[in-house]
């Protein structure tokens, strides 16, 4: 969301638990297609920048993210979620 008082920055933030985001999507008239964690667990590592800079480390981070991005018990772990939805009817 864009903060109406500042035309250069997107500054409005919404905090959701996974179940809250799913409910909000449905209440808005959409059918939830997918809900995924964006970052994966790598953001918790103290050396994530160094791992990301190394091609092998980067692939390991991406593999870990792919492995858990749709795991319902871990969806609240990443700081960002992505809801993919389609308009009903």
């Amino acid at each position: 969301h864009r903060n109406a008082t500042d035309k250069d920055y997107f500054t409005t933030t919404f905090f959701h638990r996974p179940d809250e985001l799913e409910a909000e999507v449905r209440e808005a008239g959409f059918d939830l297609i997918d809900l995924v964690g964006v970052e994966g667990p790598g953001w918790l590592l103290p050396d994530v920048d160094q791992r990301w800079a190394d091609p092998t480390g980067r692939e390991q981070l991406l593999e870990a993210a792919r492995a858990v991005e749709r795991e319902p018990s871990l969806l609240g772990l990443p700081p960002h979620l992505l809801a993919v939805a389609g308009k009903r009817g």
Side-chain angles (χ1 to χ4, degrees):
H1 279 228
R2 183 180 293 271
N3 182 335
T5 63
D6 189 336
K7 297 183 182 355
D8 295 325
Y9 299 100
F10 289 86
T11 58
T12 303
T13 303
F14 297 95
F15 296 97
H16 294 87
R17 290 190 332 253
D19 58 320
E20 293 172 331
L21 180 55
E22 182 176 349
E24 186 171 317
V25 166
R26 294 185 193 286
E27 288 171 18
F30 292 89
D31 289 321
L32 186 68
I33 297 168
D34 208 354
L35 185 62
V36 295
V38 176
E39 289 87 358
W43 70 276
L44 294 168
L45 299 171
D47 62 344
V48 69
D49 291 333
Q50 291 84 2
R51 290 177 191 239
W52 189 257
D54 173 64
T56 301
R58 178 179 300 157
E59 187 54 36
Q60 290 171 340
L61 289 170
L62 291 172
E63 284 178 27
R66 288 183 203 109
V68 300
E69 69 185 358
R70 289 179 175 85
E71 171 54 45
S73 65
L74 297 175
L75 278 177
L77 180 64
H80 299 97
L81 295 173
L82 174 67
V84 180
K87 190 70 173 162
R88 287 189 202 136

